Amino acid sequence: MDQILINELGDELYQAMLNREAVSPLTERGFAIGIDDAYHISLRMLERRLAAGEKIIGKKIGVTSKAVQNMLGVYQPDFGYLTDAMVFNSGEAVPISQRLMQPKAEGEIAFILKKDLIGPGVTNADVLAATECVMPCFEIVDSRIRDWKIKIEDTVADNASCGLFVLGDTAVSPRQVDLVTCGMLVEKNGQLLSTGAGAAALGSPVNCVAWLANTLGRFGIPLKAGEVILSGSLVPLEPVKAGDFMRVEIGGIGSASVRFT
């Protein structure tokens, strides 16, 4: 795919985000688009965000759990970039009706790094040694692709369907909790919605972060000290709207809550 088309598609997705107007799937437009093309489109979209004053504060891993893969029909992980315009604190009102189009919330474990991770060759032990703490979080994903009719190339081009995210108010060392067996409870409007465990995300959230470091290493991109890494959902995606309230609790880590407006 030539650079002119890559730029045009990245610009289109950026404008779709600003205007809150979804576009047709890129994979249904009659031209060939591969995974690498899609990542280059996402980088163009990111360039537009950075030019508008946003700053990269982390990265996210998407489509890691079987529940999410089956829901979206996408069967391999992807990644996207997090910026300072996306982050909220636990308990804050999150204005999805002003910022997003087709929001869905998912409970995750966030890793906060104290050292760089540079692949290839990053192991789970390397991930744990580089992690300052883990926190409960919500990721509120959104798709600029109409009706979530996405293939892997669509979501990759769309910055892994990044929307907004909410960090909890507790943080623990990753060595103080079993990240494979830790249980997650998600409530919506006071009712238990779903449960999950760390193993739902590629067997362990640590596996997810190692995968990301090694995948990005092929592009010469490090995970940097101080960055937030969202390790992937442990539960199914849940559509949300203004007025909803959600809470996630992760055994041994803590909780996070979010009110949508």
Side-chain angles (χ1 to χ4, degrees):
M1 183 174 285
D2 66 47
Q3 191 62 46
I4 292 174
L5 182 55
I6 285 169
N7 290 350
E8 287 177 352
L9 295 172
D11 291 345
E12 181 182 356
L13 289 170
Y14 177 71
Q15 288 301 138
M17 180 192 73
L18 291 184
N19 299 335
R20 297 179 59 244
E21 294 179 356
V23 302
S24 63
L26 308 189
T27 51
E28 294 182 0
R29 298 193 186 183
F31 49 71
I33 175 173
I35 295 288
D36 284 357
D37 296 322
Y39 278 122
H40 284 110
I41 293 166
S42 75
L43 287 174
R44 173 64 177 189
M45 188 182 182
L46 177 67
E47 287 173 5
R48 295 293 305 273
R49 297 186 76 141
L50 299 182
E54 296 182 39
K55 294 180 174 60
I56 296 172
I57 61 169
K59 300 173 180 80
K60 67 151 282 187
I61 307 152
V63 205
T64 54
S65 74
K66 292 296 183 186
V68 173
Q69 289 178 353
N70 291 335
M71 181 176 290
L72 297 179
V74 173
Y75 299 100
Q76 66 186 84
D78 63 1
F79 67 85
Y81 292 87
L82 305 175
T83 77
D84 57 350
M86 301 178 184
V87 63
F88 290 81
N89 294 317
S90 182
E92 277 193 285
V94 176
I96 56 172
S97 60
Q98 300 171 31
R99 297 276 303 272
L100 306 181
M101 289 177 280
Q102 309 175 97
K104 301 176 187 284
E106 54 190 8
E108 302 194 16
I109 297 173
F111 287 64
I112 313 300
L113 299 183
K114 62 183 177 182
K115 299 178 182 176
D116 291 359
L117 281 170
I118 304 172
V122 169
T123 66
N124 283 15
D126 294 330
V127 171
L128 292 174
T131 300
E132 177 72 30
C133 61
V134 292
M135 305 175 72
C137 74
F138 275 109
E139 184 184 3
I140 303 94
V141 294
D142 194 26
S143 181
R144 272 60 66 173
I145 305 299
R146 191 174 298 122
D147 300 324
W148 280 93
K149 291 183 177 178
I150 57 173
K151 296 180 179 177
I152 184 65
E153 295 86 358
D154 294 300
T155 186
V156 165
D158 191 25
N159 195 30
S161 304
C162 279
L164 308 170
F165 68 100
V166 178
L167 292 176
D169 51 15
T170 56
V172 301
S173 165
R175 299 187 183 279
Q176 292 179 345
V177 60
D178 187 331
L179 291 168
V180 174
T181 63
C182 63
M184 173 180 285
L185 300 175
V186 179
E187 298 174 353
K188 181 181 181 183
N189 300 328
Q191 301 294 316
L192 179 63
L193 178 67
S194 57
T195 62
L202 299 183
S204 166
V206 182
N207 291 337
C208 297
V209 179
W211 173 86
L212 180 62
N214 289 323
T215 298
L216 287 177
R218 300 204 317 266
F219 298 93
I221 301 169
L223 305 185
K224 297 180 180 179
E227 286 192 332
V228 179
I229 309 298
L230 304 189
S231 59
S233 183
L234 307 183
V235 291
L237 297 173
E238 175 65 16
V240 290
K241 63 183 186 304
D244 286 336
F245 175 84
M246 292 187 71
R247 181 177 178 274
V248 61
E249 183 168 350
I250 306 173
I253 300 179
S255 64
S257 63
V258 56
R259 176 169 53 89
F260 297 110
T261 60

